[in-house]
Amino acid sequence: MSHVRPGPVADERKAMSDATIEQLAEQYVDAYNRNDLDALEALLHDDVHFQHHNREVDYRTKETSMDMFRMAAGAFPGKSFSNRLSLRVSGDTAILQHTWTCTPTVDAPNMGATAGVPLATELATFLTFRDGKLVEYHDFG
């Protein structure tokens, strides 16, 4: 009778280098700032989870997240991330400290936004990637 010990269970996900995670984060920010919906959609995992903490925004699929991006294009024209203070990688997550700016066309009380009044919000943004796709987005600010 053979006594073979099974080896460690292999993680089906392939580890990505810090440089790859940083590059994916840069691609996301660039696509977001250009409002390139096709590029954003290509970066999202089908089961992506988007959450803007403290602002009542919580989406759990690529489809609902893309609906959010389409809505935001009209409600927050010129929206962008700027004034980056840092970008760090920890495991499969990029952590950015930056500013989100826009001039809303609508009132958005959950964001403290008034139509026509420029808005700038300091954020900490966590982008988690798996197999080259964004699977988790969380921002705080």
Side-chain angles (χ1 to χ4, degrees), residues 28 43-45 48 50 127-129 132-137:
Y28 173 83
L43 281 169
L44 301 184
H45 188 277
V48 66
F50 264 87
L127 305 169
T128 302
F129 295 92
K133 300 287 186 182
L134 182 65
V135 293
E136 293 277 339
Y137 174 104

Side-chain angles (χ1 to χ4, degrees), residues 30 44 56 77 101:
D30 179 61
L44 301 184
E56 303 171 14
T101 60

Side-chain angles (χ1 to χ4, degrees), residues 48 58-70:
V48 66
D58 192 356
Y59 299 99
R60 304 246 173 197
T61 66
K62 180 190 263 189
E63 182 180 336
T64 58
S65 297
M66 290 307 300
D67 288 344
M68 172 195 61
F69 286 125
R70 285 187 278 279

Side-chain angles (χ1 to χ4, degrees), residues 9-125:
V9 176
D11 186 347
E12 305 233 348
R13 296 179 283 178
K14 295 181 180 177
M16 292 180 284
S17 69
D18 286 2
T20 299
I21 298 293
E22 186 172 328
Q23 179 183 28
L24 289 166
E26 294 287 6
Q27 287 175 9
Y28 173 83
V29 168
D30 179 61
Y32 183 90
N33 286 351
R34 291 182 294 110
N35 196 40
D36 185 338
L37 297 179
D38 292 333
L40 286 167
E41 187 169 18
L43 281 169
L44 301 184
H45 188 277
D46 288 342
D47 296 321
V48 66
H49 177 205
F50 264 87
Q51 188 166 12
H52 300 292
H53 295 265
N54 305 323
R55 286 177 301 219
E56 303 171 14
V57 175
D58 192 356
Y59 299 99
R60 304 246 173 197
T61 66
K62 180 190 263 189
E63 182 180 336
T64 58
S65 297
M66 290 307 300
D67 288 344
M68 172 195 61
F69 286 125
R70 285 187 278 279
M71 177 279 304
F76 308 106
K79 64 183 176 35
S80 67
F81 296 113
S82 61
N83 190 34
R84 179 172 311 151
L85 299 176
S86 67
L87 184 144
R88 302 276 189 258
V89 174
S90 178
D92 55 1
T93 301
I95 305 154
L96 297 95
Q97 183 181 4
H98 50 185
T99 305
W100 182 78
T101 60
C102 73
T103 300
T105 60
V106 297
D107 291 340
N110 63 322
M111 299 174 67
T114 302
V117 177
L119 177 66
T121 303
E122 303 297 321
L123 296 177
T125 303

